[in-house]
Amino acid sequence: MVRSIVVDTDTGIDDAHTLLYLAGRPDAEIVGITSVFGNCTEEDAVRNIGHVTGLLGLDVPIARGAAEPMAGVAHIAGYVHGKDGLGDRGYERPLPEVTGESGAELLVRLARERPGELDLLALGPLTNLGLALRLDPDLFTRYRSVVLMGGSGPYARPGTLLMVDANIDNDPVAARAVFAAPRERLVMVGVNVTAGTILDERAIAALRATDTPTARFATEILESYLDFYQHEWGRRIIPLHDPLAAGVLLDPGFATAAVDGPVNVVGNGFQTRARLMRTHDGLPPSFAYEPAPDTHVITEVDTARFVADFVEVLTS
């Protein structure tokens, strides 16, 4: 079965890899893309969408989305993805042709035109989704599924630290609206599983050894990402955050364990996370929380099988 996918993206390095991955999978069809701030500014995000779709020869509707969160100030991760979001390689990135509607409006229009047929893949801050829910509070019931890269899973085992939940932290207001909204199926692929899904030296070497435009581009934009993550593990390796969310959308078998339950967006005064309201051993937390419809929260993945598939797609 071919899944028709609308992609909402703050087009940084792993977002670009995700578009390459989706375009290379025979069971995926990208039918629309919306831009949002996050890994880079919204303008850079839409320029990067145009660059990647041009490289792939994709002609799909593109709409410009939110340049700032629903409340507060945008935090741009140029120190991770490069100032332009693609590692500052100097690519010519003219503004692509856009539909003229907002990102939120495109998300609503496509869902109403093809109810029950489309999947929505959200790879950045959830601002466009939050704004779209203001236009259509039942929006998620019109998508076959909504899969997002964000969140932190259940509460971790005591003493365990997690990577920053950047997409949620960048717009907690929008995230709260997303997790409270009625839905057909909402899947959270959070940093609890993406941070351990590693493209290691061997996999990166396989990409570098492949002389195709897609593989060359995928490796060219890696350097900024590797420069950042080498300070996490002392090795020039990266996590496949956004690609894993796409993989789970296309092949739910990549997820080997999941829990259904309410998700709340909670802060500690420094940063905000989306949490399944369960402890690591499946118990409710020891404080009151807001009721919410069930979200399908991924808790374990077959990382070896996914990474092998990702490399095969980008090198074939």
Side-chain angles (χ1 to χ4, degrees):
M1 177 180 69
V2 176
R3 288 192 176 267
S4 298
I5 303 168
V6 182
V7 182
D8 181 70
T9 174
D10 57 338
T11 329
I13 292 167
D14 60 329
D15 305 70
H17 284 161
T18 303
L19 294 175
L20 301 179
Y21 176 70
L22 290 172
R25 288 273 306 229
D27 53 352
E29 175 193 20
I30 300 172
V31 298
I33 309 176
T34 54
S35 59
V36 68
F37 76 96
N39 292 328
C40 52
T41 66
E42 182 280 325
E43 181 174 321
D44 279 316
V46 76
R47 289 180 184 275
N48 294 345
I49 290 168
H51 185 76
V52 177
T53 55
L55 177 69
L56 293 168
L58 288 178
D59 183 13
V60 299
I62 299 168
R64 296 189 64 170
E68 58 187 13
M70 294 175 72
V73 179
H75 299 286
I76 305 300
Y79 54 93
V80 181
H81 296 265
K83 183 178 179 182
D84 69 359
L86 292 181
D88 297 326
R89 301 288 301 182
Y91 300 120
E92 292 186 14
R93 302 169 301 123
L95 285 170
E97 182 178 344
V98 296
T99 64
E101 61 205 314
S102 71
E105 290 167 340
L106 180 64
L107 297 182
V108 170
R109 176 171 65 82
L110 292 177
R112 287 177 172 174
E113 289 175 353
R114 300 176 60 180
E117 297 181 15
L118 306 179
D119 297 285
L120 173 56
L121 177 63
L123 304 177
L126 299 175
T127 312
N128 289 335
L129 279 67
L131 294 172
L133 287 168
R134 287 184 175 177
L135 300 175
D136 182 357
D138 293 321
L139 176 65
F140 294 169
T141 69
R142 308 185 202 284
Y143 279 97
R144 177 165 51 189
S145 74
V146 179
V147 178
L148 60 93
M149 192 277 116
S152 297
Y155 282 90
R157 187 181 298 276
T160 302
L161 298 177
L162 285 175
M163 194 171 286
V164 172
D165 192 356
N167 287 341
I168 304 302
D169 194 52
N170 251 327
D171 195 338
V173 172
R176 288 188 180 97
V178 166
F179 287 109
R183 75 289 301 266
E184 186 67 25
R185 179 175 174 82
L186 179 62
V187 181
M188 186 171 87
V189 184
V191 294
N192 55 305
V193 289
T194 63
T197 303
I198 300 297
L199 193 72
D200 64 12
E201 295 92 346
R202 187 173 182 178
I204 292 169
L207 285 177
R208 293 192 193 283
T210 304
D211 190 24
T212 66
T214 296
R216 283 199 300 272
F217 173 69
T219 54
E220 283 172 2
I221 63 176
L222 272 179
E223 293 308 313
S224 175
Y225 220 31
L226 292 168
D227 288 346
F228 175 79
Y229 277 108
Q230 69 186 1
H231 297 296
E232 292 291 327
W233 298 298
R235 295 166 57 186
R236 291 182 66 76
I237 57 179
I238 61 166
L240 293 172
H241 293 297
D242 292 342
L244 179 62
V248 169
L249 190 163
L250 294 172
D251 182 354
F254 285 133
T256 56
V259 178
D260 292 333
V263 169
N264 280 194
V265 176
V266 294
N268 61 6
F270 297 98
Q271 59 183 225
T272 306
R273 295 184 182 273
R275 290 278 200 184
L276 174 69
M277 291 292 102
R278 298 290 182 269
T279 62
H280 77 281
D281 50 2
L283 298 174
S286 58
F287 50 82
Y289 58 88
E290 293 294 323
D294 278 356
T295 295
H296 190 66
V297 179
I298 307 304
T299 56
E300 295 181 27
V301 295
D302 187 341
T303 57
R305 190 169 77 86
F306 171 71
V307 171
D309 183 66
F310 176 81
V311 172
E312 180 180 358
V313 170
L314 264 64
T315 57
S316 62

